[in-house]
Amino acid sequence: KKTVTPRHRALNDQTCRENWRKAHTKIVNVRFNTETDKEVLAKLSAVPNKADYLRRLILEDIKKSSK
């Protein structure tokens, strides 16, 4: 019988999380100009959860476009 130590369990959990992330999520990088996009960058800096904020804006835009 194989003994599973807490360290092995933790590494297995981490591997499972990484595999799930790779299969179910996507990273999107966006580059902004620090001179011309100052207002946009300031707003994004003030938002606690940038992904949720951008997701909400995009979904609202999709709803407007589909009408």
Side-chain angles (χ1 to χ4, degrees), residues 40-48 50:
V40 173
L41 292 169
K43 178 63 178 177
L44 283 174
S45 294
V47 173
K50 291 160 186 55

Side-chain angles (χ1 to χ4, degrees), residues 6 12 14 17-18 32-33 35 38 40 42 44 49-50 55-56 59 61 63 66:
N12 188 43
Q14 181 179 0
R17 281 191 299 275
E18 288 173 6
F32 291 98
N33 184 302
E35 296 301 318
K38 285 182 181 180
V40 173
L44 283 174
N49 189 328
K50 291 160 186 55
R55 185 180 298 109
R56 185 175 50 80
L59 290 173
D61 188 47
K63 282 182 187 177
S66 64

